[in-house]
Amino acid sequence: MNKTALITGINGQDGSYLAELLIEKGYTVWGILKRNSVAENQTYRIDQFRNNPNLKLEYADLLDLASLVRVLQIAKPNEIYNLAAQSHVRISFDQPIYTSQVTGIGTLNLLEAVRLICPNARVYQASSSEMFGNNIDEDGYQRETTPMNPVSPYGCAKVFSYNICRNYRNSYGLFISNGILFNHESPRRGSNFVTNKVAKEAAKIKLGLSDKLVLGNTEATRDWGHAKDYVKAMWLILQHDQADDFVCATGISHSVQYLVDYVFQSLNLDPQKHVSTAERLFRPEELKNLKGDCSKMKNILGWEPVYTFESMMDEMVQHWLDFYSK
Ligand code: NAP
Ligand code: F7E
């Protein structure tokens, strides 16, 4: 029998790739949309398969428990992927209460709805490397056992969600798994995240449409993978025979400065002529270094990424060159 999945955050970066993957695998996919006043903005990342008969969309919101109950009642999912969040770390300092409500309490609303309506469904929670903050194991990596010490309102909200998922798993025997994913990017990434900001602005500079790129902290390092590889990990986590928590990462870390140099060099541009920094783009507290050890995921679930940092950034730069050359 074909499976049914529900994705919260279906029109986000990850939700759009995950929906494509699940439809390819024969799932019926339900997605919830938070209402936007511009109808065209509602589904732009999923418009290319919007008319697929196996894709079903409903208005609902993680902050509106009744709407979650309504959607679970009609969708009757076997698998639920909770990807919805206010996911921007810098913005979480500007909107800490809203971020805590959506990214933290929103998860609890969903778990309560699951407990009431479909307790046999398997639930994936989008946990984040931001939960570790500046804790690093002695060998320089973060992994499932690294203590969590978040340094942003977003990270604090994600730790709450991670813990409440474990609590509901242990208390009620629900199948709830956390994927602790390190940064993952793509041409569908919001262009206010650093990889896509650099790719977009460098392409504009190359085409003579702009001259400057202004950044915050370029010394921070991140472990960047491709969202297409990471949604495969989400699916594998829910196919495992028991609920568990898994880190997903590449194990390779680069600085923001390295990212800038790589992208500008790939376009034969000199970053020193175009790139500057501004204090307003720094964060009140910075997460300095991320590098993940995903041996558990590789050994137990057999996950392997296809993209490299370089092939991912090349794809993103090409996307913006094509976009602005139309
Ligand atoms: P994203 O592009 O920002 O997508 C977030 C999604 O959540 C959007 O579809 C958004 O809808 C939806 N949403 C926001 N508030 C909502 C609410 N109150 N009710 C219902 N839907 C709501 O994020 P992403 O990069 O795809 O990440 C997916 C998940 O993984 C997030 O939970 C994120 O925190 C987590 N995560 C991401 C990364 C990463 O590097 N990408 C790493 C670790 C964890 P609108 O667009 O209509 O606002
Ligand atoms: O920043 C630095 C910034 O906003 C990366 C989210 O998906 O991954 C993401 O969070 C680094 C930081 O991602 C700019 O200070 C410098 O050190 O692309 P980002 P993030 O904060 O790591 C985690 C795992 C998540 O879970 C989140 O949802 O780049 N940086 N200059 C900048 N960052 C931005 N955005 N803009 C700049 O101009």
Side-chain angles (χ1 to χ4, degrees):
M1 202 177 68
N2 284 350
K3 285 186 179 171
T4 299
L6 173 77
I7 304 176
T8 73
I10 193 166
N11 54 335
Q13 170 188 251
D14 293 2
S16 64
Y17 284 119
L18 180 64
E20 275 173 331
L21 178 75
L22 296 181
I23 287 171
E24 260 173 43
K25 288 184 182 295
Y27 280 67
T28 299
V29 175
W30 291 74
I32 65 163
L33 298 175
K34 159 172 147 284
R35 191 257 172 181
N36 187 297
S37 66
V38 181
E40 290 72 19
N41 286 356
Q42 204 80 74
T43 56
Y44 86 95
R45 286 191 179 102
I46 54 175
D47 279 343
Q48 64 281 18
F49 56 101
R50 175 74 186 81
N51 294 324
N52 188 303
N54 293 325
L55 176 67
K56 300 179 189 301
L57 300 174
E58 288 287 325
Y59 283 106
D61 196 302
L62 278 194
L63 296 179
D64 179 351
L65 176 58
S67 72
L68 299 174
V69 167
R70 183 183 65 79
V71 171
L72 289 181
Q73 277 174 333
I74 53 174
K76 300 183 178 58
N78 313 101
E79 296 174 11
I80 299 168
Y81 296 85
N82 184 31
L83 309 186
Q86 190 304 88
S87 74
H88 200 284
V89 174
R90 177 66 190 83
I91 293 171
S92 80
F93 286 97
D94 300 332
Q95 292 195 280
I97 297 171
Y98 175 75
T99 301
S100 303
Q101 285 169 337
V102 175
T103 307
I105 299 298
T107 304
L108 180 53
N109 282 337
L110 181 66
L111 296 187
E112 275 297 284
V114 169
R115 197 160 75 90
L116 287 168
I117 308 298
C118 49
N120 294 324
R122 295 182 169 203
V123 180
Y124 172 89
Q125 169 58 20
S127 285
S128 165
S129 52
E130 187 72 20
M131 301 190 304
F132 297 121
N134 287 313
N135 275 354
I136 303 177
D137 289 356
E138 275 182 7
D139 63 359
Y141 290 84
Q142 289 104 351
R143 48 178 62 82
E144 290 83 1
T145 48
T146 306
M148 292 175 185
N149 187 18
V151 293
S152 63
Y154 168 81
C156 293
K158 282 289 183 189
V159 170
F160 171 78
S161 284
Y162 167 84
N163 280 324
I164 202 71
C165 283
R166 288 167 64 97
N167 174 241
Y168 269 50
R169 178 165 85 206
N170 296 333
S171 303
Y172 305 121
L174 301 179
F175 192 113
I176 307 173
S177 296
N178 284 287
I180 306 171
L181 271 47
F182 283 60
N183 300 52
H184 46 280
E185 320 291 315
S186 72
R188 295 186 196 169
R189 181 62 136 158
S191 60
N192 54 356
F193 293 89
V194 76
T195 52
N196 216 16
K197 179 173 172 177
V198 171
K200 179 182 174 181
E201 295 307 319
K204 282 169 71 179
I205 293 169
K206 181 71 184 174
L207 296 171
L209 302 172
S210 176
D211 192 36
K212 287 194 179 354
L213 166 62
V214 185
L215 292 171
N217 179 8
T218 54
E219 288 175 10
T221 67
R222 290 291 183 273
D223 177 331
W224 282 294
H226 197 296
K228 263 190 161 177
D229 284 330
Y230 285 43
V231 299
K232 288 183 200 154
M234 295 176 188
W235 178 77
L236 284 171
I237 287 172
L238 284 200
Q239 309 319 303
H240 189 44
D241 53 13
Q242 60 193 42
D244 202 350
D245 304 328
F246 295 90
V247 157
C248 185
T250 69
I252 299 168
S253 191
H254 297 297
S255 67
V256 174
Q257 187 60 52
Y258 178 89
L259 159 74
V260 170
D261 291 343
Y262 178 79
V263 167
F264 276 68
Q265 276 162 24
S266 76
L267 291 168
N268 285 321
L269 293 170
D270 178 359
Q272 290 192 338
K273 283 192 185 151
H274 303 282
V275 183
S276 60
T277 58
E279 201 57 40
R280 70 185 153 80
L281 294 172
F282 283 63
R283 293 156 189 202
E285 191 175 4
E286 178 66 72
L287 198 171
K288 295 180 186 129
N289 300 302
L290 282 175
K291 188 164 68 166
D293 170 12
C294 71
S295 312
K296 181 177 173 186
M297 160 95 77
K298 286 187 169 176
N299 293 337
I300 298 180
L301 303 180
W303 177 80
E304 282 294 336
V306 172
Y307 283 85
T308 61
F309 171 81
E310 289 76 16
S311 63
M312 175 181 80
M313 289 314 306
D314 293 349
E315 183 190 8
M316 292 166 71
V317 170
Q318 192 58 49
H319 165 80
W320 289 112
L321 289 172
D322 294 344
F323 181 87
Y324 283 112
S325 302
K326 272 185 200 155

